Amino acid sequence: DGSNNVSEDALFNGTPCTITMDSKYKKEISDIPSVTDISSRLYLATLPGRSCCSSETQLIATDIKNDFLLKSWVGDISLSKNEILLGSSYSLKPGDNIKYFGRNFKVKKVLEETGAGYDNSCFISLDAADEIMKDKNYRNIFNNNDAKNSVSMIFLRTSDMDETIYCLDMFYGDSDIEWFSFNSKLNDMQNNVDDTNVFIHFFQIILSIVCVLSLFSLFSVFIYQRKHE
């Protein structure tokens, strides 16, 4: 449906959108026996045309220590609440400053080009997102939610894909929660990338993740909410 398309645009194509669901789903899903690892991200859209924000972009808040997909891409890296990782489309360099929601972030790293939505997105810490969402100037925008109890997307590693999908169907089949496998989204990304060389480069990054998962007989599942705010 329309809201589902907007959510996918935000989550995978870098189209700015704020999406939140209760973090209780992460705990519930982690209890599925076949789930071997789990992490989550929170997606916040900046405010276009406001002095509080340098540009309109998708902010992705994450616990970088536990985000196994991001770690596979950028390696072991720390991120304080005043630091930010930028997608490749930004004409800034490490040490420069950029402002979102009235906060000055120092650029920690500019990420390699992927040909996907991450090129137009920025990563911040959950602590920074929590302070933004609780700020009196912006909390109404986020419906008084906070980053510590909200997620937009959940990543899973699972030892048994069929069992995991079966459990997700049982728990959330009639809800507005959507899920799909890593490989299915990779195929979608390939169809949307115009520059073949860029895609091949990004595919090599993704392939390294897939190889690690395959080595341990693991699979990946993405989970997110169809509705957006």
Side-chain angles (χ1 to χ4, degrees), residues 35-217:
V35 172
T36 59
D37 202 358
I38 189 167
S39 63
S40 61
R41 294 176 183 173
L42 178 63
Y43 288 74
L44 306 176
T46 62
L47 304 177
R50 305 275 189 93
S51 60
C52 66
C53 298
S54 297
S55 61
E56 181 180 11
T57 194
Q58 182 72 69
L59 291 183
I60 304 174
T62 184
D63 178 2
I64 197 167
K65 292 182 179 179
N66 296 313
D67 191 329
F68 52 83
L69 284 182
L70 185 59
K71 287 177 67 176
S72 298
W73 182 14
V74 302
D76 289 324
I77 187 173
S78 63
L79 196 64
S80 75
K81 64 182 181 181
N82 296 316
E83 294 177 322
I84 192 169
L85 303 178
L86 297 184
S88 63
S89 67
Y90 294 84
S91 56
L92 296 173
K93 62 184 183 300
D96 288 344
N97 290 310
I98 192 168
K99 184 168 69 172
Y100 290 117
F101 294 101
R103 298 172 62 98
N104 285 315
F105 291 94
K106 179 176 288 187
V107 178
K108 180 71 173 281
K109 182 181 179 69
V110 178
L111 304 176
E112 294 185 21
E113 186 175 4
T114 67
Y118 288 135
D119 295 340
N120 304 312
S121 303
C122 306
F123 288 87
I124 62 174
S125 69
L126 283 176
D127 287 337
D130 195 54
E131 291 185 4
I132 289 171
M133 295 178 75
K134 290 178 178 177
D135 189 303
K136 64 181 181 180
N137 295 311
Y138 310 114
R139 61 190 178 196
N140 289 337
I141 298 173
F142 302 113
N143 296 321
N144 294 311
N145 290 316
D146 64 86
K148 300 300 177 64
N149 296 300
S150 303
V151 298
S152 303
M153 188 175 192
I154 300 170
F155 300 88
L156 306 181
R157 282 173 170 167
T158 170
S159 59
D160 188 327
M161 178 69 81
D162 291 338
E163 178 183 329
T164 301
I165 295 299
Y166 174 78
C167 291
L168 292 173
D169 280 330
M170 289 287 293
F171 296 159
Y172 308 115
D174 295 327
S175 72
D176 57 358
I177 304 298
E178 184 83 3
W179 56 87
F180 46 82
S181 69
F182 182 88
N183 287 340
S184 66
K185 184 47 59 179
L186 182 60
N187 289 334
D188 291 343
M189 289 172 61
Q190 184 175 14
N191 292 332
N192 291 331
V193 173
D194 295 325
D195 189 331
T196 304
N197 291 331
V198 170
F199 176 77
I200 290 174
H201 177 70
F202 186 54
F203 182 80
Q204 290 172 341
I205 299 172
I206 297 299
L207 184 60
S208 66
I209 301 172
V210 175
C211 288
V212 172
L213 301 189
S214 299
L215 182 62
F216 293 97
S217 299

